[in-house]
């Protein structure tokens, strides 16, 4: 239940960020090229919205298997070997996330104490950059879920996009469509 709620919130935020970035950039282009003016805060807002989009997208990409993986070596092993290699990879990723979370916490707490605002937007820097912490926590949650799936034998490792297989399927589909015409 809680994980489903987190998924829905994450998807809603990612959608809103994408719409926000698109509209802001579109509006900024119209202002610059039609009215020869612009927003003083537009570039900074786009930068931070993009950072939030990317760091939310990392954990979402892990959830839906959108990350590209190089697994030719791992596929040489038995399912148990694949699970062991994946477990090691997940644990190392969790260590990385832990280090990143700790560093983000130190950085954000210093920004909070100093009280610096962004250059062009009257928002505290620690609020705008809190995605460093939020994104890594979300990624850690996804990695822990994946670790559980690997440990319980539900999967042998990371779900990933197989671009070569997708390309071959697309080529076969086009070939059939051309032959049918």
């Amino acid at each position: 239940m809680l994980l489903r709620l987190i998924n829905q919130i994450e998807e809603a935020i990612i959608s809103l960020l994408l719409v926000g970035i698109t509209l802001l950039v579109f509006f900024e282009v119209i202002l610059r090229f039609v009215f020869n003016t612009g927003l003083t805060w537009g570039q900074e807002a786009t930068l931070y919205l993009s950072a939030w989009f990317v760091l939310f997208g990392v954990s979402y990409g892990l959830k839906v298997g959108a990350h590209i993986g190089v697994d030719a070596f791992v596929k040489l092993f038995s399912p148990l070997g694949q699970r062991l290699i994946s477990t090691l990879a997940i644990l190392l990723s969790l260590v990385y996330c832990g280090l990143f979370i700790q560093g983000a916490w130190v950085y954000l707490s210093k920004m909070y104490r100093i009280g610096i605002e962004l250059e062009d937007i009257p928002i505290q820097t620690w609020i705008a950059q809190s995605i460093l912490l939020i994104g890594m926590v979300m990624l850690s949650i996804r990695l822990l879920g994946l670790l559980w799936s690997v440990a319980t034998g539900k999967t042998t490792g990371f779900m990933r996009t197989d671009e070569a297989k997708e390309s071959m399927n697309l080529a076969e589909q086009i070939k059939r469509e051309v032959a049918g015409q």
Side-chain angles (χ1 to χ4, degrees), residues 13 15 40 45 57 59 67 72 89 104 107 113 140-142 145 150 172:
I13 290 172
S15 298
T40 57
S59 70
H67 293 285
Y107 173 74
R113 280 186 302 231
S140 297
I141 291 169
R142 298 282 184 220
V150 171
E172 286 296 320

Side-chain angles (χ1 to χ4, degrees), residues 2-3 8 19 22 62 67 86 106 125 136-137 155 173 177:
L2 179 63
L3 197 54
Q8 290 174 339
V19 168
T22 303
L62 184 63
H67 293 285
S86 295
V106 169
T125 301
M136 286 298 122
V137 167
T155 185
Q173 181 182 353
E177 288 175 6

Side-chain angles (χ1 to χ4, degrees), residues 81-92:
Q82 291 177 22
R83 287 176 51 207
L84 291 172
I85 292 170
S86 295
T87 299
L88 178 63
I90 295 167
L91 290 173
L92 289 172

Side-chain angles (χ1 to χ4, degrees), residues 5-81:
L5 179 65
I6 291 172
N7 287 340
Q8 290 174 339
I9 291 170
E10 184 181 36
E11 289 175 3
I13 290 172
I14 289 170
S15 298
L16 288 172
L17 288 168
L18 184 58
V19 168
I21 293 167
T22 303
L23 290 175
L24 181 60
V25 170
F26 176 76
F27 187 63
E28 185 73 15
V29 167
I30 296 298
L31 285 176
R32 287 185 190 269
F33 292 104
V34 175
F35 299 105
N36 202 27
T37 187
L39 302 171
T40 57
W41 51 268
Q43 184 175 357
E44 189 171 40
T46 303
L47 176 72
Y48 280 102
L49 289 172
S50 298
W52 278 72
F53 180 74
V54 167
L55 287 169
F56 261 109
V58 169
S59 70
Y60 184 76
L62 184 63
K63 175 189 140 198
V64 299
H67 293 285
I68 297 170
V70 180
D71 61 352
F73 176 71
V74 175
K75 284 187 175 182
L76 295 175
F77 292 89
S78 67
L80 177 62

Side-chain angles (χ1 to χ4, degrees), residues 107-142:
Y107 173 74
L108 292 172
S109 62
K110 287 181 182 180
M111 290 294 109
Y112 176 78
R113 280 186 302 231
I114 294 170
I116 298 172
E117 289 186 348
L118 298 177
E119 276 186 46
D120 299 323
I121 306 171
I123 295 175
Q124 294 285 313
T125 301
W126 74 270
I127 294 172
Q129 295 178 353
S130 63
I131 188 59
L132 296 169
L133 185 65
I134 295 167
M136 286 298 122
V137 167
M138 292 296 296
L139 181 58
S140 297
I141 291 169
R142 298 282 184 220

